[in-house]
Amino acid sequence: MNCSIAIIQAIHTFVNAADTRNTSVLAAVMHDAYQNIQDGFFEQKGIFIFSKTRYIELIETKRFGGSPRTIKIESIDERGNIAIAKVILESELLCFSSNITLVNENSEWKVLYNVPNIRKKS
């Protein structure tokens, strides 16, 4: 994996800020056009798309986040100012297989999209 350390740091910052519900750090690492796109929302079926504002609200209301997760970056495809990472996150109860897209603006990597596949651990 030949990529910028800054990309890896941005991924870790994004995940850890959600896990600790640190919304100020989370907001800083998220792009203004951020979207979280997921298939299902707890027991509800369907595609759910959350904006940056809505995602932070879900963290603040303790619907998302609050559980420490391990982070395993499987791959990062960096192409200029865009990077796509395949990341496995595991908490005590859940496993997330995420595709995280980041963009480099003004020399800062920001998370633009997070597309998690979430499953309960057996």
Side-chain angles (χ1 to χ4, degrees):
M1 183 177 357
N2 185 13
C3 64
S4 168
I5 297 295
I7 295 169
I8 295 168
Q9 288 174 334
I11 293 167
H12 279 263
T13 298
F14 173 71
V15 173
N16 290 329
D19 292 354
T20 60
R21 294 192 173 120
N22 187 334
T23 55
S24 60
V25 170
L26 186 61
V29 77
M30 295 167 78
H31 191 277
D32 287 342
Y34 172 87
Q35 289 189 321
N36 187 85
I37 305 162
Q38 63 189 57
D39 188 2
F41 183 60
F42 299 100
E43 303 304 320
Q44 298 175 343
K45 302 284 186 209
I47 301 299
F48 292 84
I49 301 172
F50 304 113
S51 66
K52 177 179 181 175
T53 302
R54 178 69 175 129
Y55 189 83
I56 289 172
E57 182 181 287
L58 289 165
I59 297 285
E60 288 174 335
T61 59
K62 300 183 179 179
R63 198 89 195 260
F64 280 6
S67 297
R69 295 175 288 178
T70 60
I71 303 169
K72 179 183 176 197
I73 298 173
E74 293 192 323
S75 67
I76 297 176
D77 183 11
E78 182 180 356
R79 296 183 184 187
N81 290 311
I82 299 173
I84 301 169
K86 293 186 185 297
V87 181
I88 303 296
L89 308 169
E90 288 192 44
S91 70
E92 187 178 324
L93 302 174
L94 300 173
C95 183
F96 301 76
S97 176
S98 292
N99 289 319
I100 299 173
T101 302
L102 303 96
V103 293
N104 189 342
E105 287 187 336
N106 303 316
S107 301
E108 278 190 274
W109 285 98
K110 302 271 187 168
V111 177
L112 179 62
Y113 299 116
N114 181 28
V115 184
N117 177 281
I118 307 164
R119 66 174 176 77
K120 291 181 181 177
K121 287 177 136 178
S122 311

